[in-house]
Each structure stands twice: as structure tokens, then as C-alpha cells.
Amino acid sequence: MTLSPIEIEKRPVQAYRQLVDGRLGEAASAERFGRQSPAHDMQVGCYPLADVADADMAVSAARVAFDEGPWPRMSAAERSGMLATVADLIAANAEELALIDVLESGKPITQARAELEGAVDLWRYAATRARAIEGTVPAGLGQHMLGLIERVPIGVVAMITPWNFPFVILSQKLPFALAAGCTVVLKPSELTPGSTLRLGELLTEAEMPPGTVNLIVGHGQTVGQRLAEHDDVDMISFTGSTQVGRSVARAAAGNLKKVSLELGGKNPQIVCADADLDAAADAVVFGVFFNAGQCCNSSSRLIVEASVEEQFHKRLVELAERVPFGDPLDPATKIGAIINDAQMDKIETYVAQAISQGASPLCGTRRIDGGPGRFFEPTVMANVTSDMDIARDEVFGPVLSTMRFDGLSEAIAIANDTHYGLSAGIWTGNYDRAVCAARDLRAGTIWVNCWMDGFAEMPFGGMRQSGLGREQGAQAVEEFTELKSVLFHRGERSDRWVPNGHNRNP
Ligand code: TXE
């Protein structure tokens, strides 16, 4: 397979600024760093490199903004209006934001445009949820008592986001925390910080009160670690690898801040013989090759009924060899570049190891040499067993592992044989099988005769080591709140704890 000719727009390297306490500027150290397009090997951005001092300044700005500033104190209608204004600004700048994500991440331009559309929808949805935060009043506390159960913003939220969906993942968190009345420090991945920092300019244009949102870019082990352990941070919301998620949770234990984690997955699609096999094959190929497999929801495991395994594999290979991949700036491209050399090496190592453990490659398996950029062929590996590393670990590349089953209970047992639990799917024409699978598969999202359909209204998150907490949906804003019980007494207090007239020393 040959790559389409690489073309990159003739535009100057973009210079970005961080946002701290309402000021767009340089990092404290005045240091900067650059990023090359993983698809073109050309420098595309230059960013202030924050360190611990910037993290401390950003947290202190968010703290003051929360404790004394207008954002948590304004009406829900005002907050909602501001979120809608930001949504409009993102929509008006969507093409530029999409291009930034393409150049820094290597994802296809048509996909990046769709992601921006989804992100705008998340901001608009969060704007509506800002006005739907409600408490309750329990009846029956007696004649003299009134109890209010309020939902109050949790406080200062630190957010750490990864490189695979820079603007979408930010939009799954930030507008919901803002809707709740929280203030935020956000650190995007150092591989894809551009669209996050560009948002800082849009927030300034929208006249977001200073300190409400602070955006800094630095390394995970310095800035990320500092945010996770900071005593003035009340909650940390992290998306990334399970390994780093664990270390974030450990760092958060110092002040027992709330932790929300969106981590990895090893997501299975079960394909039964009675399914629409054409539609299923298309969804399996989409599920595993979307974003070059660098996706927490990647359906990297196929569990196919033995009686149709051979014909289904044939169909998959046909599709895998046809799916357009190469230059992400080409609107026809469906599979773009791999994020960096470390990720390429990781993918290659898993594939080689699986072959040595007895898996049979049906197509792909190689990186594309000879041109600029990092590209890995869409790969299908058959005869994989559940004990192989390729079936257990998140490869995060365009690599499908296929296994076979006889009987639905075996399929579900294989599907659940993982320490992850983000998503799972089943393709079947049989209602009973669909209901059974939806009930017994252990994952935060179950897709029946579809894959990766998502809506702002539907909560998203994982069971087991795929994470803690949920984003999106009606509950998303509540994740950034806590309950406060307020008790009012009315009338005279007649009951006394210390009995009237009692004298301890007669
Ligand atoms: O992720 P990291 P990496 C998985 C995927 C991939 C692997 C490695 O399997 O192959 O992770 O990718 C910040 N304290 N996913 O190394 O390191 C970091 O700066 C606090 C799955 O890029 O988890 C970045 O902002 N923060 C995933 C963010 O964590 C730290 C998406 C994610 O980086 C930190 C990405 C630390 N000690 C990778 N170390 C998904 N679920 O979609 C790093 N960071």
C-alpha cells in the first residue's frame, strides 16, 4: 500500500500562549518547546513550557477565583449564557481548531472536523445542564425542622488530558465543571496542546472572569504530578493510561481530593452467526482502525462465532486492505498517523510478540518505511487466545485480535476476561442474545448492533480498571459538585441536652 503524497499547508509555525489568572503569556521560566506533525515531520507549533512554579500560580489563581471570584457566585443563567457564548466561539473557529489537532496528532481532517462538531455540542449541552442543577427537600423532618440538600460546586478542579482526542476530551470535562460553578486548571498532553491553548484565547475573547480557567502545558511527571498532589485542588479529573491513572490516584491521596479517571480499554465486539455480517464487518473495521486504533474505545478484540469465522475474516481483510490511509490532510483519509516513535515501537513489539506466541497475521503487521511520518498498516491477527499479551493489553494501534466462540456464554466469558471494562458490543439478529449480552457484559457502555455511537446525553466511563466516575449525560455536572445538608430549626427550642436544673456538684 502506498501513501498519498504528503502535503502540508504553507503556514508559519504557530506560537501559543498559556492562560493563567486571565493573562495570556509565557511560562515562568520563559522556556518554550516545539511539536512536529507526526504525519509530516514538520514543526507545527511552539508552546510555553510550564513547570511546577506555573502549576502553583495556576492553582492559586483558580483558588482565589473560586473562594472570592464571581464565577461560583453568579446565577446559573449567567453561567449558562457564558458557556453558550464559548460554544459559539468554538463553532466559529472550528476549522482552525480541527487543523491544529490534525497537525499535532496525525488524525484525519474529516474526523477532526466531526470531533469539533461533537465538542461544540458538548459545550451547548453543558450550557443547558448549568440551569438544571437541583437540590432536594426531604418531607417529614417534623414541625420544627426544614432540611435542604444542596448541590454545591466541589471547588478547584485540575484536569489532565491526553493526546488522542485533544479537543473532545477537554470538552467532556471543562464545560461541565464550569456549569457546576467550579474553577479549573487544565493541562493538556504536551504532544497536542495547541487547540487547548487556542481555547484560552477564545475564553479571553468571551470575557471569562480571570482565574476561572487556567491552561498550562508541561510534562506529566512535573506539572501533572504537581496538580494531582496539590493541597489546594479539590478534585482531579484525568484521562490517559491506566498506569498514570493509578499514580494520579496515589498522588491525590495526600489531601483526599476527589478523583475521576477515564482510562484504557480492551473492548470486545461479539459477532454472532445470525448478525448482519456485512454491517458487523464494517463496524469492526471502523471500531479498531478509527484514530489509527489510538482510542480508549477501540474495539481491539473481535469474538466471532466459529461457524462464520472464516467468511468473516475474509470480509475483514478485504475491508482492511481497502480503507484509505495516509496523509491526514487528504479528506479521503480514514486512518492517519501514529502519535510518536514510542507508540510505533509499542505497536510493533505487541505484533511481533503475538506472532511468536502463535497468533496468525491475516494482513498488515508492518510500519510504512521510506516517507516522512509514522504510519502502521491496518492489521488483523487471527488465532489469538485470551492469555496472549495482545489480547490483554491496550496496544493503542490499528491492530485487531480475533478469537472464536461456540455458544453465547463462551463469548461473554471471553469478553469479560479482562481487567478493563470500558465498552463492549454484540452483533446479533436474536433479541434474547442481545438482551443477555447487554445484561452480562461488564462494561460502562454496551453497543447492540452498532459501535461507538455517542451522545452528550449518554454517560461515558468505565468499570474495573477502565476508570472511576462518568462524563457526559445528566449526571456529568453532578460529578463536579458535592452535597451539602442544611438544617433550619423554627420556633422555640424546648428540648435541652443538659437537663434544666441539674447540678453536677450538689
Ligand atoms: O499516556 P499518559 P501516554 C494509553 C495508551 C498509550 C499509553 C501511553 O495505551 O499507549 O497510554 O500513552 C499526563 N502525573 N493511553 O504515555 O502518560 C501526560 O502529560 C500526572 C490511553 O501518552 O497516560 C498527559 O497529559 N499526569 C488513553 C496525560 O497524563 C501525568 C489516552 C496522558 O498521558 C503523569 C492516552 C504523571 N505522573 C494514552 N505522567 C485513553 N484512555 O484514551 C503523564 N501524565
Side-chain angles (χ1 to χ4, degrees):
M1 181 170 296
T2 52
L3 296 176
S4 62
I6 305 289
E7 278 183 4
I8 189 165
E9 259 184 41
K10 297 266 176 286
R11 62 184 222 142
V13 173
Q14 301 294 293
Y16 297 88
R17 292 170 294 172
Q18 66 178 29
L19 176 66
V20 175
D21 204 10
R23 281 185 299 277
L24 291 163
E26 295 299 314
S29 66
E31 253 191 87
R32 293 192 141 249
F33 72 104
R35 170 76 176 144
Q36 290 206 326
S37 164
H40 314 96
D41 290 340
M42 291 180 68
Q43 176 128 358
V44 291
C46 161
Y47 324 86
L49 179 63
D51 62 18
V52 170
D54 299 276
D56 287 350
M57 280 189 289
V59 171
S60 150
R63 186 78 261 164
V64 172
F66 186 77
D67 293 344
E68 299 163 24
W71 188 258
R73 288 162 192 84
M74 65 177 61
S75 71
E78 286 173 291
R79 275 204 293 271
S80 172
M82 176 64 87
L83 293 176
T85 302
V86 176
D88 290 345
L89 283 168
I90 296 169
N93 291 276
E95 186 60 22
E96 184 197 349
L97 291 163
L99 185 61
I100 295 170
D101 277 0
V102 169
L103 294 179
E104 291 176 1
S105 75
K107 68 172 68 236
I109 182 73
T110 39
Q111 182 193 315
R113 287 182 183 135
E115 286 175 20
L116 259 296
E117 220 172 277
V120 169
D121 186 52
L122 286 167
W123 281 80
R124 294 208 167 118
Y125 178 68
T128 67
R129 298 308 306 172
R131 301 188 72 171
I133 305 167
E134 289 180 346
T136 49
V137 178
L141 301 189
Q143 277 297 307
H144 297 285
M145 296 303 298
L146 170 66
L148 305 184
I149 303 171
E150 283 188 279
R151 280 215 167 263
V152 296
I154 198 162
V156 174
V157 183
M159 298 176 174
I160 299 175
T161 54
W163 44 263
N164 50 348
F165 296 95
F167 209 84
V168 174
I169 291 175
L170 166 163
S171 304
Q172 287 175 327
K173 300 179 190 295
L174 181 56
F176 294 94
L178 292 174
C182 295
T183 61
V184 175
V185 178
L186 191 150
K187 186 201 91 64
S189 165
E190 49 278 49
L191 300 175
T192 54
S195 56
T196 303
L197 295 186
R198 182 72 183 94
L199 175 68
E201 295 174 356
L202 301 181
L203 295 173
T204 309
E205 198 177 324
E207 297 182 6
M208 179 72 76
T212 308
V213 178
N214 304 272
L215 306 167
I216 53 174
V217 191
H219 296 301
Q221 277 159 2
T222 52
V223 174
Q225 172 75 19
R226 181 68 180 154
L227 294 176
E229 68 193 11
H230 208 297
D231 277 349
D232 276 339
V233 171
D234 302 298
M235 174 176 175
I236 179 119
S237 172
F238 171 83
T239 299
S241 60
T242 297
Q243 190 192 355
V244 174
R246 231 177 251 122
S247 114
V248 163
R250 267 196 300 271
N255 70 340
L256 294 175
K257 60 176 67 65
K258 182 172 176 181
V259 177
S260 141
L261 302 172
E262 294 297 339
L263 308 174
K266 194 69 202 176
N267 313 297
Q269 290 206 58
I270 297 172
V271 175
C272 302
D274 59 24
D276 174 344
L277 293 180
D278 240 22
D282 187 68
V284 167
V285 166
F286 159 64
V288 69
F289 299 143
F290 175 71
N291 215 45
Q294 302 165 116
C295 175
C296 54
N297 261 333
S298 171
S299 58
S300 50
R301 290 187 298 152
L302 163 69
I303 305 166
V304 59
E305 194 152 8
S307 59
V308 292
E309 185 188 27
E310 209 181 312
Q311 75 176 87
F312 198 72
H313 280 171
K314 215 165 138 235
R315 183 85 187 115
L316 286 182
V317 172
E318 267 168 38
L319 294 175
E321 287 180 345
R322 255 186 27 218
V323 58
F325 95 110
D327 185 357
L329 290 170
D330 180 344
T333 295
K334 296 275 188 182
I335 306 179
I338 302 299
I339 192 76
N340 60 12
D341 291 334
Q343 196 60 40
M344 279 295 263
D345 292 346
K346 177 176 168 183
I347 299 166
E348 224 171 27
T349 305
Y350 272 107
V351 168
Q353 199 179 41
I355 294 171
S356 75
Q357 289 171 345
S360 330
L362 299 182
C363 63
T365 75
R366 285 172 309 155
R367 63 166 83 200
I368 306 292
D369 289 320
R374 287 141 204 84
F375 297 88
F376 200 91
E377 288 180 335
T379 297
V380 178
M381 306 286 286
N383 293 322
V384 172
T385 51
S386 280
D387 55 341
M388 291 181 190
D389 295 324
I390 204 168
R392 307 203 73 77
D393 299 345
E394 199 180 36
V395 175
F396 236 53
V399 181
L400 177 69
S401 295
T402 95
M403 291 169 267
R404 74 184 71 85
F405 73 90
D406 263 317
L408 188 63
S409 52
E410 189 188 10
I412 289 172
I414 297 171
N416 286 340
D417 185 8
T418 166
H419 54 259
Y420 291 114
L422 191 58
S423 56
I426 179 158
W427 290 83
T428 177
N430 180 298
Y431 173 82
D432 277 0
R433 285 182 138 194
V435 171
C436 243
R439 189 193 56 209
D440 293 341
L441 287 168
R442 292 191 62 196
T445 299
I446 309 293
W447 281 292
V448 179
N449 291 335
C450 56
W451 186 261
M452 232 174 336
D453 294 78
F455 297 88
E457 289 84 350
M458 297 295 286
F460 172 66
M463 296 180 176
R464 297 192 270 183
Q465 293 185 33
S466 288
L468 287 177
R470 293 291 179 270
E471 296 181 335
Q472 304 182 172
Q475 306 81 355
V477 176
E478 291 183 4
E479 292 274 334
F480 297 102
T481 64
E482 51 192 347
L483 291 177
K484 180 187 267 187
S485 295
V486 183
L487 287 150
F488 294 92
H489 181 269
R490 61 161 280 277
E492 201 181 326
R493 284 206 52 170
S494 50
D495 50 333
R496 293 284 182 272
W497 188 56
V498 180
N500 277 340
H502 182 78
N503 190 343
R504 189 148 42 111
N505 303 307

